[in-house]
Coordinates of all heavy atoms in Angstrom, one line a residue:
M10 N 0.9 -1.2 0.0 CA 0.0 0.0 0.0 C 0.9 1.2 0.0 O 1.5 1.5 1.0 CB -0.9 0.0 1.2 CG -2.0 1.1 1.3 SD -3.3 0.8 0.1 CE -4.2 2.3 0.3
P11 N 0.9 2.0 -1.1 CA 1.8 3.2 -1.2 C 1.2 4.3 -0.3 O 0.0 4.3 0.0 CB 1.7 3.6 -2.6 CG 0.5 2.9 -3.2 CD 0.3 1.7 -2.4
E12 N 2.1 5.1 0.1 CA 1.7 6.2 1.1 C 0.8 7.2 0.4 O -0.2 7.7 1.1 CB 2.9 6.8 1.6 CG 2.7 7.6 2.9 CD 4.0 8.2 3.5 OE1 5.1 7.9 3.0 OE2 3.9 9.0 4.4
Y13 N 1.0 7.5 -0.8 CA 0.2 8.5 -1.5 C -0.4 8.0 -2.8 O 0.1 7.0 -3.4 CB 1.1 9.7 -1.8 CG 1.7 10.4 -0.6 CD1 3.1 10.4 -0.4 CD2 0.9 11.0 0.3 CE1 3.6 10.9 0.7 CE2 1.4 11.5 1.5 CZ 2.8 11.5 1.7 OH 3.3 12.1 2.8
A14 N -1.4 8.7 -3.3 CA -2.0 8.3 -4.6 C -1.0 8.4 -5.7 O -0.1 9.2 -5.7 CB -3.2 9.2 -4.8
P15 N -1.2 7.6 -6.8 CA -0.2 7.6 -7.9 C -0.3 9.0 -8.6 O -1.3 9.6 -8.6 CB -0.6 6.5 -8.8 CG -2.0 6.1 -8.4 CD -2.2 6.5 -7.0
C16 N 0.9 9.3 -9.3 CA 1.0 10.6 -10.0 C 0.0 10.6 -11.1 O -0.2 9.7 -11.9 CB 2.4 10.6 -10.5 SG 2.7 12.0 -11.7
P17 N -0.7 11.8 -11.3 CA -1.7 11.9 -12.4 C -1.1 12.0 -13.7 O -1.7 11.9 -14.8 CB -2.5 13.2 -12.0 CG -1.5 14.0 -11.2 CD -0.7 12.9 -10.4
N18 N 0.2 12.3 -13.8 CA 0.9 12.5 -15.0 C 1.6 11.2 -15.5 O 1.5 10.9 -16.7 CB 2.0 13.6 -14.8 CG 2.6 14.0 -16.2 OD1 2.0 14.2 -17.2 ND2 3.9 14.1 -16.2
C19 N 2.2 10.4 -14.6 CA 3.0 9.2 -15.1 C 2.6 8.0 -14.3 O 3.3 6.9 -14.6 CB 4.5 9.5 -15.0 SG 5.1 9.6 -13.3
D20 N 1.7 8.0 -13.4 CA 1.2 6.8 -12.7 C 2.3 6.3 -11.7 O 2.1 5.2 -11.1 CB 0.8 5.7 -13.6 CG -0.7 5.6 -13.7 OD1 -1.4 6.4 -13.0 OD2 -1.2 4.9 -14.6
C21 N 3.4 7.0 -11.5 CA 4.4 6.6 -10.5 C 3.8 6.7 -9.1 O 3.1 7.7 -8.8 CB 5.7 7.4 -10.7 SG 6.9 7.1 -9.5
E22 N 4.2 5.8 -8.2 CA 3.6 5.9 -6.9 C 4.7 6.4 -5.9 O 4.5 6.4 -4.7 CB 3.1 4.5 -6.4 CG 1.9 4.1 -7.2 CD 1.3 2.7 -6.7 OE1 2.1 1.9 -6.2 OE2 0.2 2.4 -7.0
D23 N 5.8 6.7 -6.4 CA 6.9 7.2 -5.6 C 6.9 8.7 -5.4 O 7.6 9.4 -6.1 CB 8.3 6.7 -6.2 CG 9.4 7.0 -5.2 OD1 9.2 7.2 -4.0 OD2 10.6 7.0 -5.7
A24 N 6.1 9.2 -4.5 CA 5.9 10.6 -4.3 C 6.5 11.0 -2.9 O 6.4 10.2 -2.0 CB 4.5 11.0 -4.4
T25 N 7.0 12.2 -2.8 CA 7.4 12.7 -1.5 C 6.6 14.0 -1.1 O 6.2 14.7 -2.0 CB 8.9 13.0 -1.5 OG1 9.2 13.9 -2.6 CG2 9.7 11.8 -1.5
R26 N 6.5 14.2 0.1 CA 5.8 15.3 0.6 C 6.5 16.6 0.3 O 7.7 16.7 0.5 CB 5.7 15.2 2.2 CG 4.6 16.0 2.8 CD 3.3 15.3 2.8 NE 2.3 16.3 3.2 CZ 1.2 16.0 3.8 NH1 1.0 14.8 4.2 NH2 0.3 16.9 4.1
V27 N 5.8 17.7 -0.1 CA 6.3 19.0 -0.3 C 6.2 19.8 1.0 O 5.1 19.9 1.6 CB 5.6 19.7 -1.4 CG1 6.2 21.1 -1.6 CG2 5.8 19.0 -2.7
G28 N 7.4 20.2 1.5 CA 7.4 20.9 2.9 C 7.0 22.3 2.8 O 6.4 22.9 3.8
W29 N 7.3 23.0 1.7 CA 7.1 24.5 1.7 C 6.8 24.9 0.2 O 7.5 24.4 -0.7 CB 8.3 25.2 2.2 CG 8.1 26.6 2.5 CD1 7.7 27.2 3.7 CD2 8.2 27.7 1.6 NE1 7.6 28.5 3.6 CE2 7.9 28.9 2.3 CE3 8.5 27.8 0.2 CZ2 7.8 30.2 1.7 CZ3 8.5 29.1 -0.4 CH2 8.1 30.2 0.3
T30 N 5.9 25.8 0.0 CA 5.6 26.3 -1.3 C 5.5 27.8 -1.2 O 5.2 28.4 -0.2 CB 4.3 25.7 -1.9 OG1 3.2 26.1 -1.0 CG2 4.4 24.2 -2.0
W31 N 5.7 28.5 -2.4 CA 5.6 29.9 -2.4 C 4.1 30.4 -2.1 O 3.9 31.5 -1.6 CB 6.1 30.5 -3.8 CG 5.3 29.9 -4.9 CD1 5.6 28.9 -5.7 CD2 4.1 30.5 -5.5 NE1 4.7 28.7 -6.7 CE2 3.7 29.6 -6.6 CE3 3.2 31.6 -5.2 CZ2 2.6 29.9 -7.3 CZ3 2.1 31.8 -5.9 CH2 1.8 30.9 -7.0
W32 N 3.1 29.6 -2.5 CA 1.7 30.0 -2.4 C 1.2 29.7 -1.0 O 0.3 30.3 -0.5 CB 0.9 29.3 -3.4 CG 1.0 27.8 -3.5 CD1 1.9 27.2 -4.4 CD2 0.4 26.8 -2.7 NE1 1.8 25.8 -4.1 CE2 0.9 25.6 -3.1 CE3 -0.6 26.9 -1.7 CZ2 0.4 24.4 -2.6 CZ3 -1.0 25.7 -1.1 CH2 -0.5 24.5 -1.6
G33 N 1.7 28.7 -0.3 CA 1.1 28.3 1.0 C 2.0 28.3 2.2 O 1.6 27.8 3.2
G34 N 3.3 28.7 2.0 CA 4.2 28.5 3.1 C 4.4 27.1 3.5 O 4.4 26.2 2.6
A35 N 4.3 26.8 4.8 CA 4.4 25.4 5.3 C 3.0 24.9 5.5 O 2.8 23.6 5.5 CB 5.3 25.4 6.5
L36 N 2.1 25.7 5.8 CA 0.7 25.3 6.2 C -0.1 24.8 5.0 O -0.8 23.7 5.1 CB 0.0 26.4 6.9 CG -1.4 26.1 7.4 CD1 -1.4 25.1 8.5 CD2 -2.1 27.4 7.9
G37 N 0.0 25.5 3.9 CA -0.8 25.2 2.7 C -0.6 23.7 2.2 O -1.5 23.0 2.1
P38 N 0.7 23.4 1.9 CA 0.9 22.0 1.4 C 0.5 20.9 2.4 O 0.2 19.8 2.1 CB 2.4 22.0 1.1 CG 3.0 23.2 1.7 CD 1.9 24.2 1.8
A39 N 0.6 21.2 3.7 CA 0.2 20.3 4.8 C -1.3 20.0 4.7 O -1.7 18.9 4.8 CB 0.7 20.8 6.1
L40 N -2.0 21.1 4.6 CA -3.5 21.0 4.5 C -4.0 20.3 3.3 O -4.9 19.5 3.3 CB -4.1 22.4 4.5 CG -4.1 23.2 5.9 CD1 -4.7 24.6 5.7 CD2 -4.9 22.4 6.9
L41 N -3.3 20.5 2.1 CA -3.7 19.9 0.9 C -3.0 18.6 0.5 O -3.2 18.1 -0.6 CB -3.5 21.0 -0.2 CG -4.2 22.3 -0.1 CD1 -3.8 23.3 -1.2 CD2 -5.7 22.0 -0.3
T42 N -2.3 18.0 1.4 CA -1.5 16.8 1.2 C -0.7 17.0 -0.1 O -0.8 16.1 -1.0 CB -2.4 15.6 1.1 OG1 -3.4 15.7 2.0 CG2 -1.6 14.3 1.4
H43 N 0.0 18.1 -0.3 CA 0.7 18.4 -1.5 C 2.0 17.5 -1.6 O 2.8 17.6 -0.7 CB 1.1 19.9 -1.4 CG 1.3 20.5 -2.8 ND1 0.4 20.4 -3.8 CD2 2.4 21.2 -3.3 CE1 0.9 21.0 -4.9 NE2 2.1 21.5 -4.6
V44 N 2.1 16.7 -2.6 CA 3.2 15.8 -2.8 C 3.8 16.1 -4.2 O 3.2 16.6 -5.1 CB 2.9 14.3 -2.7 CG1 2.4 14.1 -1.3 CG2 1.8 13.9 -3.7
K45 N 5.1 15.6 -4.3 CA 5.8 15.8 -5.6 C 6.2 14.4 -6.1 O 6.8 13.6 -5.4 CB 7.0 16.7 -5.4 CG 7.9 16.9 -6.6 CD 9.0 17.9 -6.3 CE 10.0 17.9 -7.5 NZ 11.3 17.7 -7.1
C46 N 5.9 14.1 -7.4 CA 6.3 12.9 -8.0 C 7.8 12.8 -8.2 O 8.4 13.8 -8.7 CB 5.6 12.7 -9.3 SG 6.1 11.3 -10.3
E47 N 8.5 11.7 -7.8 CA 9.9 11.6 -7.9 C 10.3 11.2 -9.3 O 11.5 11.4 -9.7 CB 10.4 10.4 -7.0 CG 10.4 10.8 -5.5 CD 11.3 11.9 -5.1 OE1 12.5 11.9 -5.5 OE2 10.8 12.9 -4.5
E48 N 9.3 10.8 -10.1 CA 9.6 10.4 -11.5 C 9.6 11.6 -12.5 O 10.6 11.7 -13.2 CB 8.6 9.4 -11.9 CG 8.9 8.5 -13.0 CD 10.1 7.6 -12.7 OE1 10.2 7.1 -11.6 OE2 11.0 7.3 -13.6
C49 N 8.6 12.4 -12.4 CA 8.4 13.4 -13.4 C 8.4 14.8 -12.8 O 8.4 15.8 -13.5 CB 7.2 13.2 -14.3 SG 5.6 13.4 -13.4
G50 N 8.3 14.9 -11.5 CA 8.4 16.2 -10.8 C 7.0 16.9 -10.7 O 6.9 18.0 -10.2
T51 N 5.9 16.2 -11.1 CA 4.6 16.8 -11.0 C 4.2 16.9 -9.6 O 4.4 16.0 -8.8 CB 3.6 16.0 -11.8 OG1 4.0 15.9 -13.1 CG2 2.2 16.5 -11.7
Q52 N 3.6 18.1 -9.2 CA 3.1 18.2 -7.9 C 1.6 18.1 -7.9 O 0.9 18.6 -8.7 CB 3.5 19.6 -7.3 CG 5.0 19.7 -7.2 CD 5.5 21.0 -6.5 OE1 4.7 21.8 -6.1 NE2 6.8 21.1 -6.3
Y53 N 1.1 17.3 -6.9 CA -0.4 17.1 -6.9 C -0.9 16.7 -5.5 O -0.1 16.7 -4.6 CB -0.7 15.9 -7.9 CG 0.0 14.6 -7.5 CD1 -0.7 13.6 -6.9 CD2 1.3 14.4 -7.8 CE1 -0.1 12.4 -6.5 CE2 1.9 13.2 -7.5 CZ 1.2 12.2 -6.8 OH 1.8 11.1 -6.5
N54 N -2.2 16.4 -5.4 CA -2.7 16.1 -4.1 C -2.5 14.6 -3.8 O -3.1 13.7 -4.5 CB -4.2 16.4 -4.1 CG -4.9 16.3 -2.7 OD1 -4.6 15.3 -2.0 ND2 -5.6 17.3 -2.3
G55 N -1.7 14.2 -2.8 CA -1.4 12.9 -2.5 C -2.6 12.0 -2.0 O -2.5 10.8 -1.9
K56 N -3.6 12.7 -1.6 CA -4.8 12.0 -1.1 C -5.7 11.6 -2.2 O -6.3 10.5 -2.3 CB -5.5 12.9 -0.1 CG -6.2 12.1 1.0 CD -6.9 13.0 2.0 CE -6.0 13.5 3.1 NZ -6.7 14.4 4.0
T57 N -6.0 12.5 -3.2 CA -6.9 12.3 -4.3 C -6.2 11.9 -5.5 O -6.9 11.3 -6.4 CB -7.8 13.6 -4.5 OG1 -6.9 14.6 -5.0 CG2 -8.5 14.0 -3.3
G58 N -4.9 12.1 -5.7 CA -4.2 11.8 -6.9 C -4.6 12.8 -8.1 O -4.3 12.5 -9.2
K59 N -5.2 13.9 -7.7 CA -5.5 14.9 -8.7 C -4.7 16.2 -8.5 O -4.0 16.4 -7.5 CB -7.0 15.3 -8.7 CG -7.9 14.1 -9.1 CD -9.3 14.4 -9.0 CE -10.2 13.2 -9.4 NZ -11.5 13.2 -8.7
S60 N -4.8 17.1 -9.5 CA -4.1 18.3 -9.4 C -4.6 19.1 -8.2 O -5.8 19.1 -7.9 CB -4.3 19.1 -10.7 OG -3.9 20.5 -10.5
N61 N -3.7 19.9 -7.6 CA -4.1 20.7 -6.4 C -4.4 22.1 -6.8 O -4.6 22.9 -5.9 CB -2.9 20.7 -5.4 CG -3.2 19.9 -4.2 OD1 -4.4 19.6 -3.9 ND2 -2.2 19.5 -3.4
T62 N -4.5 22.4 -8.1 CA -4.7 23.8 -8.5 C -5.9 24.4 -7.9 O -5.9 25.5 -7.3 CB -4.8 23.9 -10.0 OG1 -3.7 23.2 -10.6 CG2 -4.8 25.3 -10.5
T63 N -7.1 23.7 -7.9 CA -8.3 24.3 -7.3 C -8.1 24.5 -5.8 O -8.5 25.6 -5.3 CB -9.5 23.3 -7.5 OG1 -9.5 22.9 -8.9 CG2 -10.8 24.0 -7.1
G64 N -7.5 23.6 -5.1 CA -7.2 23.7 -3.7 C -6.3 24.9 -3.4 O -6.5 25.6 -2.4
I65 N -5.3 25.1 -4.3 CA -4.3 26.2 -4.1 C -5.1 27.5 -4.2 O -4.9 28.4 -3.4 CB -3.2 26.1 -5.1 CG1 -2.3 24.8 -4.7 CG2 -2.3 27.3 -5.1 CD1 -1.3 24.5 -5.8
V66 N -5.9 27.6 -5.2 CA -6.7 28.9 -5.5 C -7.6 29.2 -4.2 O -7.6 30.3 -3.7 CB -7.5 28.8 -6.8 CG1 -8.5 29.9 -6.8 CG2 -6.6 28.7 -8.0
I67 N -8.3 28.1 -3.8 CA -9.2 28.3 -2.6 C -8.4 28.7 -1.4 O -8.8 29.6 -0.6 CB -10.0 27.0 -2.4 CG1 -11.0 26.8 -3.5 CG2 -10.7 27.1 -1.0 CD1 -11.6 25.4 -3.5
Y68 N -7.3 28.0 -1.2 CA -6.4 28.3 0.0 C -5.9 29.8 -0.1 O -6.0 30.5 0.9 CB -5.2 27.3 0.0 CG -4.2 27.6 1.1 CD1 -4.4 27.1 2.4 CD2 -3.1 28.4 0.9 CE1 -3.6 27.4 3.4 CE2 -2.2 28.7 1.9 CZ -2.4 28.2 3.1 OH -1.5 28.4 4.1
T69 N -5.4 30.2 -1.3 CA -4.9 31.5 -1.4 C -6.0 32.6 -1.2 O -5.8 33.6 -0.5 CB -4.3 31.7 -2.9 OG1 -3.4 30.6 -3.1 CG2 -3.5 33.0 -3.0
V70 N -7.2 32.4 -1.8 CA -8.3 33.3 -1.6 C -8.7 33.4 -0.1 O -8.9 34.4 0.5 CB -9.5 32.9 -2.4 CG1 -10.7 33.7 -2.0 CG2 -9.2 33.1 -3.9
A71 N -8.7 32.2 0.6 CA -9.0 32.2 2.0 C -8.0 32.9 2.8 O -8.4 33.7 3.7 CB -9.1 30.7 2.5
I72 N -6.7 32.8 2.5 CA -5.7 33.5 3.3 C -5.8 35.0 3.1 O -5.7 35.8 4.0 CB -4.3 33.0 2.8 CG1 -4.0 31.5 3.3 CG2 -3.2 33.9 3.3 CD1 -3.9 31.4 4.8
I73 N -6.0 35.4 1.8 CA -6.2 36.8 1.5 C -7.4 37.4 2.3 O -7.4 38.4 2.9 CB -6.3 37.0 0.0 CG1 -5.0 36.7 -0.7 CG2 -6.8 38.5 -0.3 CD1 -5.1 36.7 -2.2
G74 N -8.5 36.6 2.3 CA -9.7 37.0 3.1 C -9.4 37.2 4.5 O -9.8 38.2 5.1
V75 N -8.7 36.2 5.1 CA -8.3 36.3 6.5 C -7.5 37.6 6.8 O -7.7 38.3 7.8 CB -7.6 35.0 7.0 CG1 -6.9 35.2 8.4 CG2 -8.5 33.9 7.0
V76 N -6.5 37.8 5.9 CA -5.6 39.0 6.1 C -6.4 40.3 6.0 O -6.2 41.2 6.8 CB -4.5 39.0 5.0 CG1 -3.8 40.3 4.9 CG2 -3.5 37.8 5.2
I77 N -7.4 40.3 5.1 CA -8.2 41.5 4.9 C -9.1 41.7 6.2 O -9.2 42.8 6.7 CB -9.1 41.4 3.7 CG1 -8.3 41.6 2.4 CG2 -10.2 42.5 3.7 CD1 -9.0 41.3 1.1
V78 N -9.7 40.6 6.7 CA -10.5 40.7 7.9 C -9.7 41.2 9.1 O -10.1 42.1 9.9 CB -11.2 39.4 8.2 CG1 -11.8 39.4 9.6 CG2 -12.3 39.1 7.1
L79 N -8.5 40.5 9.3 CA -7.6 40.9 10.4 C -7.2 42.4 10.3 O -7.1 43.1 11.3 CB -6.4 40.0 10.5 CG -6.7 38.5 10.9 CD1 -5.4 37.7 10.9 CD2 -7.3 38.5 12.3
G80 N -6.9 42.8 9.0 CA -6.5 44.1 8.8 C -7.6 45.1 9.2 O -7.3 46.2 9.7
A81 N -8.9 44.7 8.9 CA -10.0 45.6 9.2 C -10.2 45.7 10.7 O -10.5 46.7 11.2 CB -11.2 45.1 8.5
I82 N -10.0 44.5 11.4 CA -10.2 44.5 12.8 C -9.1 45.3 13.6 O -9.3 46.1 14.4 CB -10.2 43.0 13.3 CG1 -11.5 42.4 12.8 CG2 -10.2 43.0 14.9 CD1 -11.5 40.9 13.1
F83 N -7.8 45.0 13.2 CA -6.7 45.5 14.0 C -6.1 46.8 13.3 O -5.4 47.5 14.0 CB -5.6 44.5 14.1 CG -6.0 43.3 14.9 CD1 -6.3 42.1 14.3 CD2 -6.2 43.4 16.3 CE1 -6.7 40.9 15.0 CE2 -6.6 42.3 17.0 CZ -6.9 41.1 16.4
G84 N -6.4 47.0 12.1 CA -5.8 48.2 11.4 C -6.6 49.4 11.4 O -6.1 50.5 11.1
G85 N -7.9 49.3 11.7 CA -8.8 50.4 11.5 C -9.0 51.3 12.8 O -10.1 51.9 12.9
Q86 N -8.1 51.4 13.7 CA -8.3 52.1 14.9 C -7.5 53.5 14.9 O -6.6 53.6 14.2 CB -7.8 51.3 16.1 CG -8.8 50.2 16.4 CD -8.1 49.1 17.2 OE1 -7.0 49.2 17.6 NE2 -8.8 48.0 17.4
Ligands
ZN26 ZN1 4.9 11.6 -12.2

């Protein structure tokens, strides 16, 4: 039983966890089970075996939303 779903690009099951990304820091890839294929370098969701693009967009929008809300709460005095 492999640890992660096979790569959507080449079907390789040898994937490693991505520890840090420019879009999500350390938290984003942890939340999205972001892994990288050792065979072709494709990064995808290790739980579903699909691209993480939608998750990345939702995550980024959520982070921006939180920053705006916190800015309104703490910045508007
Ligand atoms: Zn691959």
Side-chain angles (χ1 to χ4, degrees):
M10 187 73 187
E12 197 175 353
Y13 300 114
C16 170
N18 189 43
C19 70
D20 260 353
C21 174
E22 291 180 339
D23 188 15
T25 51
R26 197 86 192 215
V27 178
W29 194 94
T30 60
W31 59 267
W32 51 265
L36 181 66
L40 286 175
L41 295 173
T42 323
H43 203 55
V44 297
K45 180 178 172 231
C46 173
E47 289 296 309
E48 200 65 37
C49 68
T51 301
Q52 296 187 356
Y53 62 99
N54 188 314
K56 213 182 271 179
T57 63
K59 290 175 184 155
S60 166
N61 250 341
T62 308
T63 310
I65 291 169
V66 170
I67 292 169
Y68 177 84
T69 309
V70 169
I72 290 294
I73 291 170
V75 167
V76 168
I77 290 172
V78 168
L79 288 179
I82 293 170
F83 296 107
Q86 289 159 2

